[in-house]
Amino acid sequence: MASIVVDDIHVEFPIHGSQQSLRETMFRQAVGGLIRRNKSGRGGIVVTALSGISFTLNDGDRLGLIGPNGAGKSTLLKVLAGVYEPVAGRVLIDGRLTSLLDVMPGLDGDDTGYENIMTAAMLFGIKRADILAKLPEIEEFSELGEYLGLPVRTYSSGMMSRLAVAVATIVEPGVLLIDEGIGAGDARFAARAAVRLSDFISRSRILVLASHSEGMIRKTCNRAALLRSGRLLAIGDVEDILSQYRDLTQTPPEAVATSTDVPDQANSRA
Amino acid sequence: MTSQGPLPQATTALRDLVEGLSQWDVYGRLGWLDVKRRYRRTVLGPGWSVINLALFTGSLGMIGVGLWNQSAEAYLPFLTSGLVVWMLISTMMTEACAVFVNGANFVRQIKLNYSILVYALVWRNFIGFLHNLVVYVVVALIFPPIGIMSPATLLVVPGLALLLLNGAWIGLLLGLCCLRFRDVQQLVGTVIQISIFITPIFWPPEVLKGTSRAIFVAYNPLYHLIEVVRAPLIGQVPSASTYWAVLITTAVGWTVAYLAFSRFRKRIPYWS
């Protein structure tokens, strides 16, 4: 039984070195989390990226995260992935975790494709021998040919995502976290990536997918969650949530109440 | 990771350090890639650090022999061994400032034991040290120090182990400080620049007397950190006070670094 338990998490980003103009900017911007002054009065800026989010996922759940830019979708994925530890609340996960986020982990532009494959795979926790065994599969799927021997800074962004998808999908997914950007590329590759990803997703026990694409969420997910300014507005049936999302994107930002209360505990840590 | 029910995603500083240490395949690889990257697109590759050190030793050696009225046979092995060890310490300190700053592609993309980045730093500097040691070996062949073939030379191994152990806490502590306060990096650069002159590397400790000797030699932790490797390299046994000083530095340094790491560990991805 795989499961994810998210229990009242709060995430805040202290922005160090922000400009004076940014300091003066507060509240009510159309996109992003809530920006406010650090209450301790030291003049810092804190962006509340997620606040008070709770949900539970079990085997077979495929959750789509949807919401406007800066709603906290990617941050939530990174919290689930264990990249960010929330300032309050906790995340419990049962199952082998695989995350396909925006950049290949450990990516270095001066290293060759092969070197980056090895680094990323090791960070995913795959043993060296297993990576070597999977290498032909990666070569075949990525179709990068001799480019794999060149530094990845020479790659186009489409080639980068070929590499990322090829590497990430060699692991056995248990709990799978995917950020939408992955699987870009030209149309033919996008189709192949879609096949490989959907096969990969079907082997996973739990999926959390962040996307702007209603089509992708409708096709892949059996549950959906609507995020806005770091808050979970609704979670439930896909069609229901998607229609709420459509309503939301048609209303001006002022219409949605963004309250400013944040737990005190979170303030002191920022 | 299965069947014990859901586990918290949060981890502890101690677990990070211990589990990270066991992932030698990861930091071994990262450290090695760093070395490779540094020399990529250069013709001489690792030869450069050797050439750099050889020129440094050659020119300073000539001045030092005149300045301190020493024989070349005595001074050059002392200078070269000191410089080789100093370069290990100073590059570990310099790179410590960037260890988490440059690690954003790690800490913001995947859950990992952050200590791995520090171990990779120590490992790649150890590789660099082995390169530079070539210069000392050449000097020692030309001007063999008395006692170079004695068992005292074997003390290089525990000495290096102690030094690298100190490198790890320096990496952890400076890495954290510089990630949060980017000015610390400038400060560290300045301290290193001054240290090379106020620590007995170019000049033998014997030339100082009285209070200044106490300040710059006896109570200078950098002197003892160098001495614990340099003395065996030139065939001498480091004094007991040097070992004590190094042990105290190690204990104090690790305590502070551990406290800082356990307090601020989870802020690392937020600060990077």
Side-chain angles (χ1 to χ4, degrees), chain A residues 3 22 27 62 73 79 111 129 133 183 192 212 214 220 233 260:
Chain A
S3 64
L22 179 59
F27 307 123
R62 271 100 181 79
K73 304 184 291 293
V79 171
D111 289 351
R192 293 184 66 222
H212 284 290
E214 294 186 25
T220 337
L233 294 187
T260 56

Side-chain angles (χ1 to χ4, degrees), chain A residues 61-66 180 198 201 207-225 236-247 249-250:
Chain A
D61 280 344
R62 271 100 181 79
L63 178 71
L65 302 176
I66 200 158
E180 57 177 348
S198 69
I201 288 168
L207 167 77
V208 182
L209 167 78
S211 177
H212 284 290
S213 154
E214 294 186 25
M216 189 160 177
I217 287 186
R218 200 172 278 127
K219 202 171 65 190
T220 337
C221 301
N222 55 22
R223 294 178 76 187
D237 174 63
V238 173
E239 285 309 324
D240 187 31
I241 298 291
L242 289 182
S243 75
Q244 287 191 45
Y245 173 62
R246 257 172 268 127
D247 293 343
T249 48
Q250 277 148 23

Side-chain angles (χ1 to χ4, degrees), chain B residues 20-34:
Chain B
L21 192 60
S22 73
Q23 291 168 290
W24 57 269
D25 52 340
V26 181
Y27 61 81
R29 174 172 179 78
L30 295 180
W32 181 244
L33 279 177
D34 285 328

